[in-house]
Amino acid sequence: PKIRGISRDAKGVPTGHVGGVANLTLWYEYWPQLPPSQVGEYYRMELDEAAAQGMTTFSSRLEPNHIAVYAWLNAQGLMPLRLPYTLETFARSENTESIASRLTGMQGGSGKNMWGSGDDHMWIIGVTPDSIDGTSGPAGSCFRKDYPREAPDFPMWRFQFYGPHGLCRLKDEAYHDVDVIRMAAKYGFRVSGMHVSGDRSLDDFLDEVEAATKLYPD
């Protein structure tokens, strides 16, 4: 009932708009997750197409159910290329630390002593809050300057869906991206596979990294 991201009116009644942590939770907890055996062949066809173009390694951030499908293919020796992947798991729960503390040791280290659980075809390279801002088309990238209200090439800007500076998720109370970064620092994970497109969101991220370094110097 109190999950972040549920928009409410003045009386506290949900308006029907879902964003932030609630949106990510909805994706994973309520949408049906198809079993690997049902969708694995489609994933393999896509990987084969990439391999045919000469690609040998592919990296992305993955939800747990996506990882399950790739792991299912890998167990059968059907992976045509290597997949170093980023866990989206931290981003898909209201209680970030409860997940972070349970995954300690799957990926960590520093410098030449980095490690990630897996094998030669699939291994973990870090965790991600998913994104720390939006995209520029609907004025979602987090910028220092205000978006212009009228822009001929970007008509969506006039609606200012996310406020005049865009979607600044590290400062937005509906999101817990900042918790993901802090928990990565606390439990020894790299931050990887993270979407960012605005200058202000980069500044916010570096500020959080600096603060986390002071809290968790190791």
Side-chain angles (χ1 to χ4, degrees), residues 18-126:
V18 179
V21 179
N23 185 41
L24 296 173
T25 303
L26 188 68
W27 291 10
Y28 199 68
E29 300 294 341
Y30 294 94
W31 290 2
Q33 308 298 326
L34 298 175
S37 59
Q38 188 171 337
V39 294
E41 180 62 16
Y42 298 100
Y43 278 49
R44 187 189 64 78
M45 291 166 62
E46 191 172 39
L47 293 176
D48 281 346
E49 183 177 338
Q53 296 173 28
M55 187 181 296
T56 61
T57 305
F58 168 72
S59 185
S60 184
R61 61 177 191 258
L62 301 176
E63 299 174 32
N65 58 305
H66 296 161
I67 296 169
V69 179
Y70 288 118
W72 182 80
L73 290 170
N74 192 30
Q76 301 178 81
L78 298 176
M79 288 285 285
L81 42 72
R82 295 184 294 274
L83 177 62
Y85 64 91
T86 297
L87 287 168
E88 276 195 14
T89 315
F90 282 26
R92 308 210 167 258
S93 171
E94 175 78 356
N95 191 339
T96 308
E97 185 160 12
S98 67
I99 292 179
S101 62
R102 287 162 173 76
L103 295 177
T104 302
M106 294 183 73
Q107 181 274 321
S110 62
K112 295 181 179 180
N113 297 314
M114 295 297 297
W115 64 82
S117 295
D119 58 24
D120 289 342
H121 279 89
M122 282 187 69
W123 67 96
I124 300 166
I125 62 170

Side-chain angles (χ1 to χ4, degrees), residues 66 107-108 126 187-188 190 209:
H66 296 161
Q107 181 274 321
Y187 290 100
R190 289 178 65 201
V209 169

